[in-house]
Amino acid sequence: MKQFFLTTAIDYVNSRPHLGTAYEKICADVIARYKRLCGFETRFLMGNDEHSQNVFKKAVDEGLDPLAYCDQMEREFRKTWAHLDVSFDDFIRTTEPRHKAGVTEIATRLWDAGDIYEGVYEGWYCVSCEEFKQEKDLVNLNCPLHPTLKPEWIKEKNYFFRLSKYQQPLLDHFAAHPDFLQPDVRRNEILRLIEGGLIDISISRAGQSWGIPLPFDPGSVVYVWFDALINYASAVGLGGDQAMFEKWWPADLHVIGKDITRFHAVIWPAMLMAARLPLPRHVFGHGFMTLNGQRMSKTLGTIVDPIEAADRLGVDPLRLYLVKEVAFGGDGDFSWERYEERYNVDLANNLGNLVSRVTAMAHRYRGGRVAPGASSHDQLARLGERVVVDYRHAMDRFALHEGAAAAYRLIDGTNEFIAATAPWKLAKDPASADQLSQVLFDAVEAIRLAAVLLSPVMPASSREILRRVGASSADLDFDRDGRWRNDGERLVLQEGPLWPRKETTTVTDNPLPPDGPAPGALPPVSAPVAPTAPATPASDRISIEDFMKVELRTAKVLTAERVEKSKKLLKLSVDVGTEVRTLVAGIAEAYEPDALIGKTVVIVFNLKPAKLMGIESNGMVLAASPDGGTPTVVSFEAPPPPGTRVR
């Protein structure tokens, strides 16, 4: 059986997890779940870094023994990861005996090889980083990562690792394995660093008891960063269970933040070379999460509690937001407004609405049982096959955001397929019974396949979607389940909405009175426009400046429904690129609601809101009514993206 061993950075426990650390764990979990889906025996390692002096100080401040404090924090971290549905297989702590055995093994090997020697270190030391800094790396003599804390000048006896000896071997390894460090921007940074010359580095601290003693000098403890890196190997048996170590080492992937890339792509590989051990196959340095454009930092106080974020809209909506909205490898920003907006657009109005519509039609027209008809439609099947190829290509190279986007192409394509085939019209024609059966089956199958593709990102929601479309979620296998299937009957369940829409309030500088627009104002509906006189007198024509005041934009219809007690009005939810808006349109006599879903229309974007039948409408859909007859909305054969300006 194929194997895959991946790890995340282990976390300092001087404070609780924040959304930045949760981002790393969720992305690694998506990779682990994808590998399991593809049939790999997967080992997913996480853990806590406990030998930090910051941890020791925090324990003292709280009046606790350091180990008792770490026990307490382990419970906090495990609770967070369980809440976020992170499926790690092993959780290591650097205070465990198995880790001490691995650290002792590496330190002994390096000492015996002559790659550790005794010396004196003098220089700037950042307490928060727990790292010595070269003066050239400081900004106004402050640490660039912790600008509010001034480094200390320290001079002490240390043991040093001969990192300089491994400059050329490292360059050779990068040349032989161009995908060792990803993404390319991280690889290029580290190559420039190595090419600029490496200096020997301290691996011990003197006069401290909180740490693992050096085997050749029990009066010194192993420096925290040296200790921490070894967790990846000690967790799989280094220094203890040799059979386990041979099975799982080397690691296939280290997922770490870009600020610790140097440790994982320079120092750790050099340590392994010196110890005559295999190097990890890949290191991936992801970007930082920011909060409204500011870096998430415990020091700066700009953090978001991941449990609070998950409880606001749900665990899977948070996971989808972090994976789909942030290009894996780049920096990403979080804001509560954007989070809620994407929840409505991606889940409530798109995927959730699709599941509700299709299961409702399956019950309305086929009593909840769908099977392929005699008339085959391969449009959606071909899209599904293309999406699967793109999805696998993206996920195999850790482009998680592209994988999620591929799954959503299938979801969007299914909405468009339903709009094009119009099952509600087929249902009125007995001669189209087989065609209707195939349309419904194809829509159900597309939802099933999309749920399989999204299962690493939204595991609980995908299981629920699969249940509703009559597919098993047990023991998913990509070779079997990750392909288009056109056979068998499906028992479809019709239940409540998966993600109820979160209503937001639009605030305007000049709100309209509750009884509607002022006399003479444009109605905020797509009312038919009566033809005007053949020619407009020049004196009545508007200037280009007047025209440009009207902001026309494209909008994609996400949902449509009739307004109660009105024959003419439809309530629409439309994606305008930056948000989802509610519009009221006077086109109910011309269009069935389902026929509009997925259509791209043109709206007056900057029209003041007004209420019609108690519904606030934020814009007007453009429609033409020749001779005052049936209105036809302005649309496109090849629609531009939502929010595109129409001029």
Side-chain angles (χ1 to χ4, degrees), residues 548-563:
M548 293 304 292
K549 291 178 183 177
V550 181
E551 191 173 338
L552 303 178
R553 291 189 180 272
T554 58
K556 184 174 181 179
V557 180
L558 302 174
T559 64
E561 59 186 80
R562 293 187 178 277
V563 175

Side-chain angles (χ1 to χ4, degrees), residues 13-200:
V13 294
N14 56 321
S15 62
R16 295 176 63 245
H18 60 73
L19 195 63
T21 52
Y23 171 71
E24 175 178 292
K25 275 50 180 181
I26 287 171
C27 288
D29 183 60
V30 171
I31 295 170
R33 289 178 182 273
Y34 170 70
K35 290 298 181 180
R36 295 187 192 112
L37 183 64
C38 293
F40 285 79
E41 181 184 3
T42 301
R43 188 174 188 85
F44 175 20
L45 173 68
M46 292 170 47
N48 283 350
D49 189 355
E50 299 179 343
H51 282 139
S52 157
Q53 285 303 302
N54 289 322
V55 171
F56 181 85
K57 291 175 183 176
K58 183 72 173 179
V60 171
D61 290 344
E62 296 197 6
L64 293 172
D65 173 81
L67 189 57
Y69 170 79
C70 291
D71 291 342
Q72 175 180 299
M73 292 305 291
E74 180 194 12
R75 292 190 290 272
E76 287 287 331
F77 275 76
R78 282 181 177 268
K79 179 181 75 173
T80 300
W81 307 143
H83 195 85
L84 298 178
D85 207 1
V86 177
S87 62
F88 57 88
D89 300 290
D90 192 6
F91 193 92
I92 190 167
R93 296 172 55 182
T94 55
T95 50
E96 293 181 46
R98 61 171 171 162
H99 181 63
K100 180 179 179 181
V103 171
T104 301
E105 176 75 15
I106 290 278
T108 301
R109 287 188 181 215
L110 269 58
W111 176 259
D112 291 345
D115 284 334
I116 291 178
Y117 63 92
E118 189 176 5
V120 174
Y121 192 91
E122 186 173 10
W124 295 107
Y125 180 79
C126 175
V127 176
S128 286
C129 289
E130 299 206 44
E131 179 187 356
F132 285 104
K133 302 282 185 179
Q134 296 184 54
E135 192 161 320
K136 67 181 179 64
D137 296 326
L138 301 177
V139 179
N140 298 322
L141 290 184
N142 286 331
C143 172
L145 297 179
H146 302 96
T148 61
L149 298 172
K150 193 172 185 65
E152 302 173 3
W153 185 266
I154 291 179
K155 180 179 180 180
E156 66 180 27
K157 182 191 79 169
N158 277 180
Y159 287 89
F160 290 80
F161 170 53
R162 296 185 194 277
L163 181 62
S164 58
K165 175 181 172 181
Y166 292 93
Q167 179 175 346
Q168 191 57 49
L170 285 167
L171 290 173
D172 293 342
H173 185 78
F174 272 79
H177 303 86
D179 61 347
F180 169 66
L181 176 58
Q182 301 174 52
D184 287 345
V185 63
R186 302 282 97 79
R187 181 177 186 274
N188 294 335
E189 289 170 356
I190 292 301
L191 276 174
R192 300 296 84 78
L193 173 69
I194 299 172
E195 290 166 352
L198 300 177
I199 61 173
D200 296 348

Side-chain angles (χ1 to χ4, degrees), residues 26 29-30 33 84-85 314-321 323-324 346-347 351-352 391 404 407-408 411 450-466 476 498-499:
I26 287 171
D29 183 60
V30 171
R33 289 178 182 273
L84 298 178
D85 207 1
V315 172
D316 281 349
L318 176 64
R319 289 172 62 105
L320 179 68
Y321 176 89
V323 172
K324 185 170 179 285
D346 290 334
L347 294 173
L351 178 55
Y391 172 87
Y408 262 81
I411 294 164
V452 171
L453 301 184
L454 287 172
S455 61
V457 182
M458 302 194 300
S461 298
S462 294
R463 288 193 296 271
E464 175 60 16
I465 292 171
L466 290 170
L476 289 177
L498 285 161
W499 298 283

Side-chain angles (χ1 to χ4, degrees), residues 207-275:
Q208 297 181 5
S209 59
W210 182 240
I212 297 174
L214 280 171
F216 44 83
D217 183 355
S220 296
V221 298
V222 175
Y223 200 174
V224 64
W225 65 259
F226 186 92
D227 166 352
L229 288 167
I230 299 168
N231 89 89
Y232 308 123
S234 61
V236 289
L238 179 66
D241 189 336
Q242 186 62 25
M244 182 183 187
F245 186 70
E246 290 176 358
K247 175 180 179 179
W248 288 107
W249 193 260
D252 291 280
L253 176 65
H254 292 324
V255 177
I256 49 100
K258 67 180 182 180
D259 56 330
I260 53 175
T261 310
R262 178 172 65 92
F263 291 98
H264 288 78
V266 179
I267 300 172
W268 176 227
M271 290 165 57
L272 291 168
M273 288 177 179

Side-chain angles (χ1 to χ4, degrees), residues 324-345:
K324 185 170 179 285
E325 288 298 299
V326 182
F328 193 47
D331 293 336
D333 189 62
F334 180 87
S335 72
W336 292 108
E337 294 78 12
R338 179 68 175 168
Y339 176 35
E340 292 179 0
E341 173 190 316
R342 296 319 305 177
Y343 169 91
N344 280 332
V345 172

Side-chain angles (χ1 to χ4, degrees), residues 541-551 606 645:
R541 296 180 185 178
I542 64 173
S543 67
I544 186 65
E545 289 79 13
D546 290 331
F547 172 74
M548 293 304 292
K549 291 178 183 177
V550 181
E551 191 173 338
N606 60 338
R645 187 78 184 264

Side-chain angles (χ1 to χ4, degrees), residues 257-324:
K258 67 180 182 180
D259 56 330
I260 53 175
T261 310
R262 178 172 65 92
F263 291 98
H264 288 78
V266 179
I267 300 172
W268 176 227
M271 290 165 57
L272 291 168
M273 288 177 179
R276 303 294 188 267
L277 292 172
L279 274 59
R281 295 186 175 93
H282 302 286
V283 177
F284 195 101
H286 63 77
F288 288 144
M289 283 296 297
T290 57
L291 175 63
N292 297 317
Q294 190 173 11
R295 183 187 171 194
M296 274 187 206
S297 163
K298 301 170 188 174
T299 305
L300 299 176
T302 52
I303 60 173
V304 172
D305 184 338
I307 291 181
E308 178 189 354
D311 288 348
R312 174 89 58 107
L313 298 175
V315 172
D316 281 349
L318 176 64
R319 289 172 62 105
L320 179 68
Y321 176 89
L322 294 177
V323 172
K324 185 170 179 285

